[in-house]
Every structure is written in C-alpha cells, then in structure tokens.
Amino acid sequence: MKRIESFTTRYFRRHKMPLYLLFVACASGTAWLFYDHLLPALLALPLFPYVVRRYDRLHAERRQSDLESQFRDLLFSLGASFATGRDLETALPEGEERLRRLYGDNLLVREIRRVREQTRQSGRPIVRGMEEWAKENSSTAIKGFMEVYSLFE
C-alpha cells in the first residue's frame, strides 16, 4: 500500500529539514573548529527557534514578493484584455492561462482558480469574489487594483 504524504510532511522535507540539517552542521562545525569539542554545539540549540522564525519570515517575504511580481504580470494581461473591450469575467480566465504558461501551477494561479470556482458555484459576480480575495490578501497591489476596479465598474 502506497503511503500518502500530507502537505505538512512534504513541506517539512522540502523546507524545514534542510534548515535543521544546515543548523546542526554549522553549529557542530563551528564548535569543532573553534573549541575542538561538540559541547558548544549543544549549547547553541536554544538559538534554533530564533533561526526557524527568521527563516519563516524570510520565506514569507519571498513568497509575498513573488506573488506581487506575478500579480503585476496578471495586471499586464488584464490591461491588454480591457483595452480590447473585455470585462473581468472574460479577461480573468485568459490572464490565468497566461500566468499558468509563464509560471506553471503556482499560488496565484490556484487562488484565481479558487475565486472563479467559488463565484461560479455561488452565482455571484466575479468582481465580488475578487474583492473578498483582495481583503483576505496582505498585498497592497492586489487591494489597490480591486479598489480602483470597483470604482470604475
């Protein structure tokens, strides 16, 4: 029977386990290099939670930066569609497809797909779903775009 891995297991293996190993290797190497003993490496273990928090903060900032960069590309695509007279209902799926071709199935593509599916199932306009998504998101670019779009709708 094939074991199904959870998201947290994959995330741990991909992001946290190398960090753990790197920290232990650096602490052990530094302790051995300067003190010819591994005891200082054990004394460095209380610093590990700080290293993990710092890594998580840097990782979140990088993901936010990637999201904003990809959203900028989506805006270029939407702008081209708006210039040809399309509305958000038809421009968003085209923008999603362009993003998928550029970046693969990334976070922004999945979020746009989720918003589109939720609005289609509930029968609400896509603009309302995008406004709710912008409120949930911490990106000022996304919030700003939806505020401006809502004004001119």
Side-chain angles (χ1 to χ4, degrees), residues 4-69:
I4 299 174
E5 292 182 321
S6 68
F7 171 76
T8 51
T9 304
R10 286 190 310 259
Y11 182 80
F12 177 79
R13 278 197 193 137
R14 186 173 186 190
H15 297 286
K16 298 284 180 143
M17 184 58 91
L19 180 66
Y20 289 166
L21 295 176
L22 181 67
F23 181 79
V24 169
C26 287
S28 301
T30 303
W32 189 261
L33 181 66
F34 290 110
Y35 302 108
D36 288 331
H37 204 277
L38 292 179
L39 182 63
L42 293 174
L43 298 175
L45 287 178
L47 295 175
F48 188 67
Y50 169 76
V51 171
V52 170
R53 280 194 307 272
R54 179 78 175 143
Y55 172 79
D56 286 343
R57 189 177 313 119
L58 289 174
H59 185 68
E61 289 171 1
R62 188 181 76 214
R63 286 187 63 160
Q64 186 68 25
S65 172
D66 290 346
L67 178 72
E68 289 182 0
S69 171

Side-chain angles (χ1 to χ4, degrees), residues 2 4 9 23 31 33 46 48 51 94 113 115 117 120 142 147 149:
K2 185 177 178 181
I4 299 174
T9 304
F23 181 79
L33 181 66
F48 188 67
V51 171
E94 293 173 2
R113 188 179 321 125
V115 168
E117 288 174 3
R120 185 176 48 238
I142 295 172
E147 287 175 8
Y149 186 82

